[in-house]
Amino acid sequence: MLPSCVIPDFSIGVDLGGTNLRIAAVSTDGQLLQKVSLGTSTAGPDHVIGEMCDAILRLSDQYRGKGALLGAGIGIPGIIDLEVGVVRRSANLVGWENYPVRQEIERRLGARICLENDAKLAALGELWLGAARGVQDMAMLTLGTGIGGAIVLNGKIFHGMNGMAGEFGHVTVEPDGVPCGCGNHGCAERYASATGVVRMAREVIATGNTPALAKLAASDAEFSARSIYDLAMQGDPPAQRIFQRFGRALGILLADIVNVLNLDTYVIGGGVSSAWDAFSPAMFGELLERSTIYAATAPEESSGRERGSAPRKGKTIVTRALLGSDAGLFGGARLPTL
Ligand SMILES: [Zn+2]
């Protein structure tokens, strides 16, 4: 903790996941003051919001009188109606639809509350303190169970007509590909996500020519993207091909985004981005081949800049996120101050 005399004003970032509720107090100059993590229950929004507000009050009480609470930004996995302050749709928060989330939290805290989609807050965090620091225009892809997306223009999240801009996960990368829950076929997130990796692994196991993968699936109760990645890193060709397929899908998606938007920086985050070594060669290969803009503006080594170094003018930078799962907390704290 900092000495009280130097604590500036602060804000609160909240990451409201399906299983975890994480809250951070962050100073206006980007220092993490404190972070707490609570489990979320399925008891519904009333209960969860009550616990969240109690935790925020406890946290902010420690800093009140030293600096002012400027507000809180709350990241929610789903589609948010920003004007009304309600969750329109969330696969992870059952029973939250149309509950007056912002109004309830503002009533309990008496502070400015901003709701936002969690992937968009992660982009704001990376823009403020992470891989896109110093950049004005960027996009972020968060690779997890699906693909979250965000477009930032002139330092602000671009929402589109009703907050749904940046749904990169449901861009078609295979016209006749596998069906997606959204109703389309061949969506990017059916290939370039944790569930995509496991799905593709089960598909190749069914061919009967992948003894190491089949053994892993039989012995590992979780059979996760992580364990398939470990197998790829041990040199198993079928496991490596799954991540090449992953990289190819992601590269096709990125090539389209780069061609449409011509932004400075594209940040790849989320849990599965840690498999970067396994998928990024195929991703950069597709990008170079399919995007005329990327081919004309790629950094010389065409593998993105060194993590954390300054942006290079006129170059299209595709790089890994730097803040991990804290990106959304920083982005949430940043939002009420913009
Ligand atoms: Zn889809």
Side-chain angles (χ1 to χ4, degrees):
M1 200 184 299
L2 297 166
S4 60
C5 56
V6 297
I7 291 180
D9 292 344
F10 68 99
S11 53
I12 300 281
V14 179
D15 181 13
L16 178 55
T19 50
N20 275 307
L21 170 62
R22 299 189 312 134
I23 303 170
V26 181
S27 66
T28 45
D29 57 1
Q31 291 185 65
L32 178 65
L33 301 172
Q34 204 173 329
K35 188 163 70 169
V36 293
S37 192
L38 309 165
T40 49
S41 66
T42 50
D46 250 335
H47 183 79
V48 174
I49 285 174
E51 289 203 328
M52 179 202 300
C53 291
D54 288 349
I56 291 175
L57 285 172
R58 277 198 303 275
L59 210 54
S60 57
D61 273 354
Q62 294 179 39
Y63 301 101
R64 243 186 254 273
K66 299 163 183 166
L69 171 63
L70 300 177
I74 298 171
I76 295 176
I79 296 171
I80 318 295
D81 185 325
L82 298 168
E83 264 181 50
V84 187
V86 304
V87 181
R88 284 290 175 227
R89 202 165 72 228
S90 174
N92 301 329
L93 296 170
V94 178
W96 285 64
E97 283 85 359
N98 299 321
Y99 183 92
V101 177
R102 186 174 64 208
Q103 198 185 321
E104 266 306 303
I105 301 172
E106 276 180 344
R107 188 179 63 80
R108 294 179 202 222
L109 293 183
R112 182 174 178 228
I113 303 299
C114 309
L115 300 188
E116 186 53 272
N117 168 269
D118 55 351
K120 292 182 170 62
L121 283 190
L124 216 49
E126 292 289 340
L127 183 76
W128 185 24
L129 300 164
R133 193 195 282 230
V135 167
Q136 285 294 301
D137 302 319
M138 59 87 83
M140 181 163 174
L141 284 75
T142 304
L143 313 177
T145 53
I147 300 180
I151 301 167
V152 175
L153 301 176
N154 222 357
K156 295 253 166 83
I157 296 166
F158 173 71
H159 286 106
M161 179 179 65
N162 52 10
M164 295 166 82
E167 273 298 330
F168 299 136
H170 300 287
V171 171
T172 304
V173 296
E174 281 286 347
D176 303 309
V178 291
C180 177
C182 74
N184 186 23
H185 287 255
C187 288
E189 71 173 35
R190 298 295 281 140
Y191 304 87
S193 68
T195 47
V197 168
V198 174
R199 183 192 64 73
M200 291 187 287
R202 295 207 184 280
E203 218 172 70
V204 294
I205 288 168
T207 66
N209 299 321
T210 54
L213 268 175
K215 194 172 155 213
L216 181 69
S219 63
D220 180 357
E222 289 191 12
F223 191 51
S224 62
R226 175 83 228 179
S227 55
I228 299 163
Y229 168 74
D230 289 341
L231 198 58
M233 288 291 101
Q234 288 158 24
D236 181 60
Q240 289 173 335
R241 280 196 292 275
I242 289 168
F243 281 95
Q244 285 157 11
R245 184 77 191 81
F246 180 118
R248 182 159 186 260
L250 190 58
I252 293 171
L253 171 63
L254 274 169
D256 289 346
I257 300 170
V258 169
N259 277 353
V260 171
L261 296 173
N262 187 207
L263 306 174
D264 305 2
T265 300
Y266 302 83
V267 178
I268 314 292
V272 206
S273 67
S274 58
W276 183 263
D277 294 344
F279 69 74
S280 66
M283 177 189 81
F284 282 115
E286 287 301 319
L287 246 179
L288 274 171
E289 219 169 276
R290 291 178 187 268
S291 169
T292 177
I293 294 174
Y294 188 74
T297 59
E300 270 144 40
E301 69 277 26
S302 79
S303 59
R305 70 177 133 106
E306 287 299 304
R307 297 173 71 176
S309 65
R312 278 174 269 168
K313 191 136 187 68
K315 298 291 183 193
T316 299
I317 305 300
V318 177
T319 189
R320 290 178 68 173
L322 287 178
L323 302 177
S325 57
D326 284 347
L329 289 175
F330 284 112
R334 179 68 165 162
L335 193 58
T337 69
L338 290 175

